[in-house]
Amino acid sequence: MSLTGTPFLLTAVVVAVAALLLPLFLWSRIGGPAVVRGASRLLMLLFAQFTAILVVFVMVNNANGLYDTWDDLLGTGNHVNAAPDLGPDGTGGKKAASAPKVKQTFKEYKGKVGNGVMKTTLKGAISGVEGDVAVWLPPQYNDPAYKDKTFPVVELLPGYPGSIGAWFGSLHTQRQLTPMMQRGEVAPFILVSPRTTLLDGRDTGCANVPGTVNADTWISVDVRKMITDNFRAATGPEGWAIAGYSAGGHCAAKLAIAHPDRYRAGVDLSGYNDPAAEGASITAHDPKLRRESNPLWILKNATTPPHTSLFVSGDLGDGYNDGLALKKAAKAPTTVHVVRLNGGGHRSSVWEHQVPDVFRWLTKELGQAGRVAPANGI
């Protein structure tokens, strides 16, 4: 039974109700010695509490897209087949553009993610990562008038833990954007959400760590190539952006700054610069990794200022101050737009309300590439 499906939620509710009614009917009917009666009653109370907690967990999980599968929850999934040292640029000397095309089969993504979302399981040829990728196509994509056009792309990253359906289900991104795209208010972006929970009980920090995981390459090379090989998607950095919230916001800022040859813009919602803000991050406990995974450090130590733009939002102590630090360090052509939130907490409902403004900003920042371009043969 699916962890996020309605049947499991209904089952949990029914069991919780039964567990509540059980003591009412059996409390005074339990026989035997006092120790047996006491132990039986205690077990009934503990069972009622457990089932109540289970219902709350399922509802919170469904609302926030924390765990997509039982393997994610139990930490039993294995998504790293290999983790070779791929060097500074994360490609291991391989040229993704000249590699054979990666053709994928997509199926409907069932669950609480809304309409039109597809998913596929991708084996990353360079990263050694294997995982699901969710894709949503804009309303214009299948319009005959756009059959010769390529579309801009935004990769969407959840927090940690988080599922590939979080932006579609919890933040209702495509539901909000569809009418805006139809009105021409925002560009018809292809939305892509790759799996980011790759290690059992640990956050990758979207980093490449030889021998452990190549999460950076998975997101910025393998997933990117798969999209351009299977859809009429932009191929140059001017047609690509990356967005995330919480731990995903940290990743988005880091990847946009580190790879201006792959992304023209990054969106960081309530993220952080120092990886130590997420205690489960594999980059937080190694001094070198911690330093080199900090987008502020990357920005300050770049050989030349990266040609990328950042949208950073958050409250005091929850992303805003980190955004100001990035803005202060930025030099042209790097730009950083910082938005201060006034309360609301570190939660999906806050980020959901930001979706329209974020995509208006992305449309503006990507310029003509944020619209649609003539097909380039991909």
Side-chain angles (χ1 to χ4, degrees):
M1 189 178 294
S2 171
L3 176 63
T4 57
T6 300
F8 182 64
L9 174 59
L10 293 178
T11 300
V13 171
V14 170
V15 173
V17 172
L20 181 62
L21 295 176
L22 194 64
L24 297 178
F25 287 100
L26 299 181
W27 192 269
S28 61
R29 300 182 183 182
I30 298 175
V35 174
V36 174
R37 294 197 305 272
S40 299
R41 289 165 180 167
L42 178 61
L43 287 174
M44 286 191 295
L45 293 176
L46 291 176
F47 182 58
Q49 290 182 328
F50 169 76
T51 55
I53 293 172
L54 177 63
V55 170
V56 172
F57 164 76
V58 174
M59 294 177 68
V60 171
N61 185 58
N62 287 350
N64 294 280
L66 302 177
Y67 300 99
D68 204 24
T69 67
W70 289 102
D71 282 340
D72 289 343
L73 176 62
L74 301 175
T76 55
N78 181 20
H79 301 280
V80 180
N81 296 324
D85 187 342
L86 297 175
D89 69 348
T91 66
K94 299 178 181 179
K95 298 295 183 181
S98 59
K101 288 193 174 184
V102 179
K103 288 299 182 181
Q104 294 290 123
T105 299
F106 292 82
K107 60 183 180 181
E108 180 186 359
Y109 185 1
K110 297 180 180 178
K112 299 181 181 300
V113 294
N115 297 324
V117 183
M118 307 175 289
K119 73 174 181 178
T120 188
T121 300
L122 172 67
K123 293 183 178 181
I126 299 178
S127 67
V129 169
E130 180 177 353
D132 289 341
V133 182
V135 179
W136 179 82
L137 301 175
Q140 290 91 336
Y141 190 88
N142 292 314
D143 185 333
Y146 291 80
K147 64 182 178 67
D148 296 322
K149 305 292 185 181
T150 59
F151 292 77
V153 184
V154 182
E155 283 189 89
L156 305 173
L157 310 181
Y160 175 81
S163 77
I164 61 172
W167 275 83
F168 303 109
S170 303
L171 273 60
H172 303 110
T173 301
Q174 79 278 28
R175 189 176 75 184
Q176 296 190 70
L177 294 183
T178 295
M180 298 177 71
M181 290 179 178
Q182 291 171 332
R183 294 192 299 265
E185 189 176 341
V186 300
F189 292 103
I190 295 174
L191 305 181
V192 181
S193 184
R195 168 178 280 276
T196 54
T197 301
L198 305 174
L199 302 172
D200 53 345
R202 293 173 291 169
D203 173 31
T204 67
C206 297
N208 279 0
V209 183
T212 303
V213 66
N214 286 318
D216 180 329
T217 299
W218 160 249
I219 295 169
S220 69
V221 178
D222 283 333
V223 172
R224 200 174 185 282
K225 174 174 172 53
M226 184 273 287
I227 294 300
T228 58
D229 284 352
N230 288 271
F231 301 98
R232 300 194 311 277
T235 56
E238 64 280 352
W240 277 74
I242 186 165
Y245 60 80
S246 192
H250 162 75
C251 286
K254 180 172 79 76
L255 294 177
I257 293 172
H259 302 302
D261 60 325
R262 301 169 196 172
Y263 304 103
R264 184 62 74 237
V267 175
D268 175 357
L269 306 181
S270 303
Y272 45 82
N273 293 334
D274 185 353
E278 172 50 70
S281 174
I282 61 173
T283 63
H285 305 290
D286 178 282
K288 184 174 184 292
L289 277 175
R290 179 177 174 182
R291 179 178 66 252
E292 294 179 355
S293 295
N294 187 322
L296 181 60
W297 185 90
I298 298 172
L299 186 59
K300 288 181 175 180
N301 289 272
T303 304
T304 58
H307 186 186
T308 194
S309 301
L310 294 180
F311 178 107
V312 184
S313 69
D315 208 342
L316 285 174
D318 189 27
Y320 177 69
N321 304 82
D322 288 31
L324 291 180
L326 290 169
K327 184 178 179 68
K328 182 178 180 181
K331 298 178 181 179
T334 309
T335 62
V336 181
H337 177 66
V338 184
V339 175
R340 178 178 175 180
L341 303 179
N342 296 310
H346 195 81
R347 52 195 300 182
S348 296
S349 59
V350 173
W351 306 317
E352 177 187 354
H353 290 143
Q354 292 184 268
V355 167
D357 286 342
V358 162
F359 278 84
R360 291 188 189 101
W361 179 85
L362 284 170
T363 299
K364 178 181 177 182
E365 289 301 312
L366 295 186
Q368 289 302 313
R371 300 296 173 179
V372 288
N376 53 10
I378 293 298

